[in-house]
Amino acid sequence: MANTRQRSVQRYARYQRVLEKIIEFDCLSLDELKRQCADERPAFVTRVLRQLEQAGWVLREDQAADETYRWNPRRTSFSVAGWLDEKIFGASLPNTPLQERPRERLLNHGAVSLRTAELLAILIRSGRPGESALQAGEKIAARLADRIDKLPTCGPQELKSISSAISPAAYCQIMAGIELGRRVAAAADNASTPTRITGSETALQFCQQQFARLSADAAQEEFHVVCLDTKHQVLRCHQITVGTLNASLVHPREVFRPAIQDAAAAIILVHNHPSGDPTPSEEDLQVTKNLEQAGQTVGIQVLDHVILGKHCAISIREQRH
């Protein structure tokens, strides 16, 4: 077993040396590559280039006098580590050189040094027969290459269609990682500069930033409350309900409970319209009126009600004026 592993590591290193020379060029001839890899056997250099050609990563120039190759336009999604893992180790990553594994690279160099595919591999954790976690990460990263911002909107079956390694557990881990990143970023923004709501304009700006997920990819209505202190600075945000907004679902007791716990002086009501149109319905207006009356009773002002649509929002307070 040890000898097999050692041979795999040595083979990995040979391939890596040749590949690192190939990726330096947009276009090169086989003869030039052999000169660049003078320490390697010419037959092995030829084999590596032909394997890349068979996989579609490089294309042979038909008009060239010598054997010249150029990279496929998909080159930006090519990964030396990912290609080698599939070529040398297949679905098994335990044999991968320790320093090349995503988790070890993260521990040694930090998360910022990892490629998107490697970050995904850590979240996926384990592969399936025929496909490792890193291979799954490579596939997803390649498919979403220039639109990785769409990853949060992918459903479990959509990711499963890209890679068989995406189990329900792996999907949950990916989505949990995305949401945690959002919350950390939002908390960092709030901690650095306390947001003060001075009117409908700042309320809209804050809600569109804080609840960007609701505008971008929420599949159903969600009702949230933003609690404010006496200077109308944001204290905390709370989710109240998920589901179609109506007067019976959004009960004053549920809305004002977190506001009382936060000792809030005022609140902003926030909910989204998955249809994309933020125009208030009659039910929206009635819910706002009911909660404003309840706020007067408990001494907590309802400062505004913001409705989020696709890339736009409406302030009910502003509409009244």
Side-chain angles (χ1 to χ4, degrees), residues 127-128 131 136 139-140 143 154-171 174:
R128 289 290 183 271
E131 188 157 286
K139 284 186 174 182
I140 295 171
R143 181 72 63 86
C154 293
Q157 291 308 313
E158 186 175 355
L159 291 186
K160 184 78 171 180
S161 71
I162 298 174
S163 168
S164 61
I166 305 302
S167 63
Y171 176 79
I174 291 171

Side-chain angles (χ1 to χ4, degrees), residues 9-122:
V9 170
Q10 291 172 350
R11 187 165 170 244
Y12 187 106
R14 288 185 71 192
Y15 267 93
Q16 187 176 38
R17 284 193 293 270
V18 176
L19 285 169
E20 287 178 348
K21 289 295 182 182
I22 296 174
I23 62 175
E24 291 179 1
F25 300 90
D26 293 323
C27 182
L28 79 163
S29 69
L30 178 58
D31 289 340
E32 176 63 25
L33 180 60
K34 289 177 181 178
R35 285 193 292 272
Q36 292 288 331
C37 302
D39 294 337
E40 187 53 80
R41 287 188 302 157
F44 180 75
V45 175
T46 301
R47 186 193 319 161
V48 175
L49 196 56
R50 296 276 167 76
Q51 287 171 345
L52 286 174
E53 181 186 15
Q54 290 172 1
W57 285 111
V58 298
L59 306 173
R60 188 168 178 175
E61 295 280 10
D62 294 331
Q63 306 301 322
D66 55 358
E67 195 169 337
T68 301
Y69 295 82
R70 61 181 172 80
W71 278 95
N72 186 301
R74 295 187 298 118
R75 174 184 181 174
T76 54
S77 62
F78 178 78
S79 159
V80 171
W83 193 81
L84 284 176
D85 284 331
E86 184 173 4
K87 192 73 183 172
I88 309 298
F89 302 112
S92 176
L93 282 183
N95 290 327
T96 306
L98 189 63
Q99 68 275 15
E100 292 296 326
R101 299 180 196 173
R103 290 177 188 169
E104 280 66 27
R105 280 176 30 77
L106 187 150
L107 290 171
N108 292 330
H109 307 292
V112 71
S113 69
L114 269 63
R115 296 176 297 108
T116 300
E118 293 172 311
L119 294 172
L120 285 167
I122 291 174

Side-chain angles (χ1 to χ4, degrees), residues 41-293:
R41 287 188 302 157
F44 180 75
V45 175
T46 301
R47 186 193 319 161
V48 175
L49 196 56
R50 296 276 167 76
Q51 287 171 345
L52 286 174
E53 181 186 15
Q54 290 172 1
W57 285 111
V58 298
L59 306 173
R60 188 168 178 175
E61 295 280 10
D62 294 331
Q63 306 301 322
D66 55 358
E67 195 169 337
T68 301
Y69 295 82
R70 61 181 172 80
W71 278 95
N72 186 301
R74 295 187 298 118
R75 174 184 181 174
T76 54
S77 62
F78 178 78
S79 159
V80 171
W83 193 81
L84 284 176
D85 284 331
E86 184 173 4
K87 192 73 183 172
I88 309 298
F89 302 112
S92 176
L93 282 183
N95 290 327
T96 306
L98 189 63
Q99 68 275 15
E100 292 296 326
R101 299 180 196 173
R103 290 177 188 169
E104 280 66 27
R105 280 176 30 77
L106 187 150
L107 290 171
N108 292 330
H109 307 292
V112 71
S113 69
L114 269 63
R115 296 176 297 108
T116 300
E118 293 172 311
L119 294 172
L120 285 167
I122 291 174
L123 293 170
I124 295 167
R125 296 187 61 184
S126 60
R128 289 290 183 271
E131 188 157 286
S132 68
L134 184 54
Q135 289 168 330
E138 296 283 359
K139 284 186 174 182
I140 295 171
R143 181 72 63 86
L144 300 175
D146 57 351
R147 52 190 184 93
I148 194 66
D149 59 307
K150 301 301 181 185
L151 181 58
T153 68
C154 293
Q157 291 308 313
E158 186 175 355
L159 291 186
K160 184 78 171 180
S161 71
I162 298 174
S163 168
S164 61
I166 305 302
S167 63
Y171 176 79
C172 290
Q173 284 154 193
I174 291 171
M175 293 302 151
I178 291 170
E179 182 58 28
L180 180 60
R182 282 172 167 166
R183 295 186 185 186
V184 170
D189 287 343
N190 290 340
S192 60
T193 308
T195 302
R196 184 166 180 260
I197 305 301
T198 58
S200 297
E201 184 177 348
T202 52
L204 285 168
Q205 290 173 352
F206 172 79
C207 292
Q208 285 182 294
Q209 180 179 7
Q210 178 70 23
F211 303 101
R213 175 185 62 84
L214 297 183
S215 298
D217 54 50
Q220 54 186 326
E221 289 191 14
E222 295 184 22
F223 190 90
H224 295 249
V225 167
V226 180
C227 294
L228 311 172
D229 62 16
T230 55
K231 295 182 179 179
H232 290 174
Q233 292 185 144
V234 175
L235 295 171
R236 293 180 64 189
C237 300
H238 303 270
Q239 183 185 73
I240 305 301
T241 63
V242 177
T244 303
L245 182 66
N246 58 61
S248 61
L249 185 62
V250 185
H251 194 280
R253 177 180 58 248
E254 305 305 323
V255 171
F256 287 98
R257 178 183 290 125
I260 292 170
Q261 291 173 342
D262 289 348
I267 60 173
I268 297 173
L269 312 175
V270 188
H271 85 280
N272 64 303
H273 283 180
S275 67
D277 181 2
T279 303
S281 65
E282 287 299 321
E283 193 71 41
D284 295 337
L285 297 174
Q286 186 59 50
V287 166
T288 305
K289 183 178 179 181
N290 292 347
L291 293 175
E292 286 174 336
Q293 292 173 347

Side-chain angles (χ1 to χ4, degrees), residues 284-285 288-289 292 302 315-321:
D284 295 337
L285 297 174
T288 305
K289 183 178 179 181
E292 286 174 336
V302 175
S315 157
I316 288 182
R317 178 184 178 184
E318 189 176 56
Q319 278 209 330
R320 288 173 176 169
H321 293 78

